[in-house]
Structures are given as C-alpha cells and as structure tokens.
Amino acid sequence: MRGGKDKTKKEFEELLLEVRRVTRVTTGGRRMSFRATVLAWNRKGKIGLGLSKGPDVSSAVKKAANEAYKNMFLVPITNGKTVPYSIVNKYKACSVKILPATKGTGLKAWSSVRSVLDLAWYENILSKIMGSNNKLNNALATINALAKYKHAD
C-alpha cells in the first residue's frame, strides 16, 4: 500500500511528560531551545525515561523518545499488581517513597510519580513525594527506585 499510513501496531508507546523552554544568554543575545521529557513503555513491563534538548519542540521530543528507548528496563510486578516491598529513593532534592498495597487500594500517587507507576502497569500502590515538586526530578527518583528492586532471577 503506497502513500498510506502504516497500519502496524507499534510495540512501544510514548507519553510526553514535560516540555520546557530554556534560554542560554550569550554576548549576542538570548538563544532559545526546548527541553523535552518522554516516558516510553510497552505493555509487558518495560519502561524508560528520556530527556533531551533541541532547537524546536518536535526535534527535542524525537531525541528524548530515542533516549527513552535506550534507557528501558524491566520493572518488578507481583501478582497483586504492586511492588514486592517498600523502598525510598532520593534524587537531588526529591525523595520518593513507594509502598506495596493490597488489592482494591488503587494507585495513590501524585504528579509525574503517578504517570510513571501507571505506565508501568501497577494498580495497587501507595506513594509519597517529599522535598521538591519538580516533575523531572520526581520522575527520575521514581525510575531509579523501580530500577533498584532486586529481581528473583
């Protein structure tokens, strides 16, 4: 089929978490660029976070998505759709606490922590953000916390 859209289903999906306009001040004036944060995941328990800059939004998002695919890892998930045990992770000024919950509790999280945990297919989790409300740092703290879990391999 020529000229039509590709009907094949992609294995990975992407979520644009944040786009920020950043400026660099030089002697000639200000140079603007954009910073994009992208979460990529598949429906089998892999998730990755990418961060990149570009001269326009579309190129920054594309570069961040490629970075997210490079940083993919497998998240641990139990039969109750929760984490195996509680963990606390600190990244810069942000501290994220993730606790397992019983069936029917739901996803009790806020901001980018909720986005990360929801895309990782968790259904029953309690979490607490302490310190900063920065979306990027909270997402990175959550990703690092999920990467710290020991697998039963």
Side-chain angles (χ1 to χ4, degrees), residues 45-102:
K46 284 183 114 177
I47 192 166
L49 181 90
L51 175 72
S52 187
K53 288 183 187 176
D56 58 352
V57 175
S58 63
S59 65
V61 169
K62 195 177 291 186
K63 286 165 64 174
N66 287 338
E67 193 71 26
Y69 292 132
K70 290 178 190 175
N71 296 330
M72 287 248 170
F73 66 95
L74 190 65
V75 294
I77 192 162
T78 63
N79 291 337
K81 299 279 187 176
T82 186
V83 290
Y85 52 88
S86 62
I87 194 166
V88 178
N89 188 44
K90 185 172 179 357
Y91 181 80
K92 294 189 179 182
C94 300
S95 185
V96 173
K97 186 178 196 178
I98 300 173
L99 302 160
T102 58

Side-chain angles (χ1 to χ4, degrees), residues 21 23 51 61-62 105-106 136:
R21 189 182 75 190
T23 57
L51 175 72
V61 169
K62 195 177 291 186
T105 303
L136 174 63

Side-chain angles (χ1 to χ4, degrees), residues 87-146:
I87 194 166
V88 178
N89 188 44
K90 185 172 179 357
Y91 181 80
K92 294 189 179 182
C94 300
S95 185
V96 173
K97 186 178 196 178
I98 300 173
L99 302 160
T102 58
K103 276 191 175 179
T105 303
L107 189 59
K108 308 277 178 154
W110 189 253
S111 183
S112 57
V113 176
R114 183 178 184 88
S115 300
V116 172
L117 295 175
D118 189 30
L119 298 180
W121 286 90
Y122 289 114
E123 291 179 6
N124 302 305
I125 283 190
L126 301 170
S127 72
K128 176 70 179 161
I129 301 171
M130 296 164 280
S132 175
N133 287 330
N134 187 335
K135 279 186 181 182
L136 174 63
N137 288 346
N138 284 329
L140 283 168
T142 308
I143 289 285
N144 291 341
L146 293 177

